[in-house]
Amino acid sequence: MKKVILGLLAMGIACSCSEKKSDGQKAPTRVRTEVVASGSAGAGQSYVGIVEENEGTAVSFTGMGVVKRVLVSEGQAVSRGQLLAEMDDTQARSLLSAAEASMMQADDALKRYGMLHENGSLPEVQWVEIQSKVAQAKSQLEVAKKNLADCRLTAPVSGIIGKKQIGAGETALPSQAVVTILDISRVKVKVSIPEAEMNGISGNTPSTIAVEAVGKQVPGGHIEKGVVADAMTHTYDIRINVQNSDRKLLPGMVASVQFVAVLQQQTEQASIPVTAVQKKADGSLFVWTVAKDSTAHRTTVTIGETMGNRIAVSSGIVTGERIVTEGYQKLSEGTKVIF
């Protein structure tokens, strides 16, 4: 009985294998598709921007020393010339006292030897040497005075304190920022723009900027366009100047930016997901389209402007055509698909 059953199983397997070989057809590839629709390119499209200060000034001591006190705090408004911090000036005062003593000694020597020089009893070489020592003492005194003055850190410009980086008791190094002063009477909103959309934006393109953090919407001013693209995202940074007389817009706030000119551009071009567009070896662009017989074909396209995660197509496909949006990695020309 066992032999009979084994024989029947072997015959069934053989028949199954012969059927697969005789069939010879590959199962359809499952993909996700989308029917192409037209829309308004850029209608309602907004960009995310970050508020930046108009200008930031890092303020630092010129010498090294221990910070005795810092007189300002973050967010505080300061005026030009206002005292910001002080460094321990014990050593500077000692050096100044020594320089003053040397200056007094040199002046005294100049007076005493000056009488001898007038009488002609002092060699000219020695007189020149005395004058040189007086000049050296004067120079050392000026340096000592400056070193003492440099122990007081004053604001070179007016603005608000952005960040306090050194506190009392810490050692400040030359050119190490103690505080940063920000000019926010006017701010800039930085926005990253795809390279395909840069031509539509000029220095005078009108814009509207909304900052949710302060519940404020303001018109944008002159636009500064960057000239170096990000290597990864192929976007360019632009900065929109915005008046900020009430100083409510602060650096780091997130802004929503809309360009008026872009919002007014209406088009009937097809709109498809950006990820559906592929590139051939020769650099041309294509998408996978699905024919009525459910076969996939490469279709060359010309793209327009990007709208978030979608892109306009100028030519190659038309409204109502079906394209592959996911699973195209498994396709080749003429592949049967199901969706």
Side-chain angles (χ1 to χ4, degrees):
M1 178 64 70
K2 290 183 178 179
K3 290 183 179 180
V4 173
I5 294 173
L6 291 174
L8 292 173
L9 289 172
M11 290 176 62
I13 294 172
C15 291
S16 175
C17 293
S18 63
E19 285 177 2
K20 287 184 179 179
K21 289 180 181 178
S22 62
D23 186 16
Q25 291 186 354
K26 189 176 179 181
T29 302
R30 181 169 293 279
V31 294
R32 181 168 293 183
T33 65
E34 176 182 307
V35 177
V36 178
S38 63
S40 298
Q45 173 66 17
S46 62
Y47 302 82
V48 176
I50 299 294
V51 178
E52 295 181 341
E53 67 275 9
N54 179 49
E55 189 173 355
T57 304
V59 188
S60 60
F61 289 106
T62 58
M64 184 178 71
V66 177
V67 177
K68 185 164 62 176
R69 56 176 182 162
V70 179
L71 304 172
V72 293
S73 56
E74 293 183 2
Q76 179 181 337
V78 296
S79 302
R80 182 176 181 179
Q82 181 176 334
L83 182 63
L84 305 177
E86 288 183 316
M87 185 185 291
D88 185 0
D89 59 1
T90 303
Q91 184 178 4
R93 289 187 180 279
S94 297
L95 292 174
L96 177 60
S97 296
E100 289 174 340
S102 297
M103 188 72 242
M104 290 176 61
Q105 185 179 7
D107 284 338
D108 182 65
L110 184 65
K111 290 177 183 179
R112 287 187 290 106
Y113 285 102
M115 297 174 62
L116 295 176
H117 180 262
E118 290 178 359
N119 295 333
S121 56
L122 183 69
E124 189 67 27
V125 174
Q126 193 172 355
W127 175 243
V128 171
E129 183 180 349
I130 293 170
Q131 287 181 314
S132 177
K133 288 182 178 180
V134 171
Q136 289 177 2
K138 185 177 181 180
S139 176
Q140 291 173 356
L141 179 60
E142 293 298 324
V143 171
K145 287 181 179 179
K146 185 179 185 304
N147 287 339
L148 180 60
D150 287 345
C151 290
R152 292 167 54 87
L153 187 64
T154 57
V157 294
S158 298
I160 65 167
I161 302 298
K163 190 171 184 180
K164 185 170 67 173
Q165 302 185 30
I166 295 180
E170 297 183 84
T171 300
L173 300 176
S175 301
Q176 179 185 9
V178 177
V179 296
T180 304
I181 300 177
L182 306 179
D183 174 16
I184 60 168
S185 59
R186 180 165 55 90
V187 295
K188 297 179 181 180
V189 178
K190 184 177 79 170
V191 184
S192 295
I193 301 296
E195 59 182 11
E197 301 176 28
M198 284 293 285
N199 283 338
I201 299 174
S202 67
N204 298 317
T205 299
S207 60
T208 301
I209 298 166
V211 182
E212 186 176 350
V214 294
K216 188 175 182 180
Q217 183 168 311
V218 295
H222 179 73
I223 297 175
E224 302 170 8
K225 298 176 66 174
V227 295
V228 179
D230 185 283
M232 296 295 294
T233 62
H234 296 283
T235 58
Y236 288 83
D237 286 342
I238 68 169
R239 286 174 170 82
I240 308 169
N241 287 274
V242 179
Q243 292 299 323
N244 188 33
S245 56
D246 58 4
R247 289 171 171 74
K248 287 187 176 181
L249 300 180
L250 300 176
M253 286 184 173
V254 177
S256 176
V257 180
Q258 291 184 316
F259 295 100
V260 176
V262 174
L263 293 175
Q264 293 174 346
Q265 289 176 354
Q266 301 295 322
T267 178
E268 293 303 321
Q269 293 177 342
S271 169
I272 64 173
V274 173
T275 53
V277 182
Q278 308 296 308
K279 182 179 288 188
K280 296 181 182 178
D282 61 1
S284 60
L285 303 177
F286 72 94
V287 296
W288 287 100
T289 56
V290 180
K292 292 182 178 180
D293 60 356
S294 297
T295 56
H297 303 277
R298 291 186 183 89
T299 303
T300 302
V301 295
T302 303
I303 62 172
E305 66 178 41
T306 304
M307 302 160 284
N309 61 352
R310 301 185 69 82
I311 193 167
V313 179
S314 305
S315 63
I317 56 176
V318 294
T319 302
E321 201 164 357
R322 186 176 293 275
I323 64 167
V324 178
T325 58
E326 292 183 26
Y328 45 75
Q329 299 88 345
K330 301 173 287 185
L331 300 181
S332 59
E333 185 66 28
T335 299
K336 277 277 188 180
V337 298
I338 56 174
F339 46 89

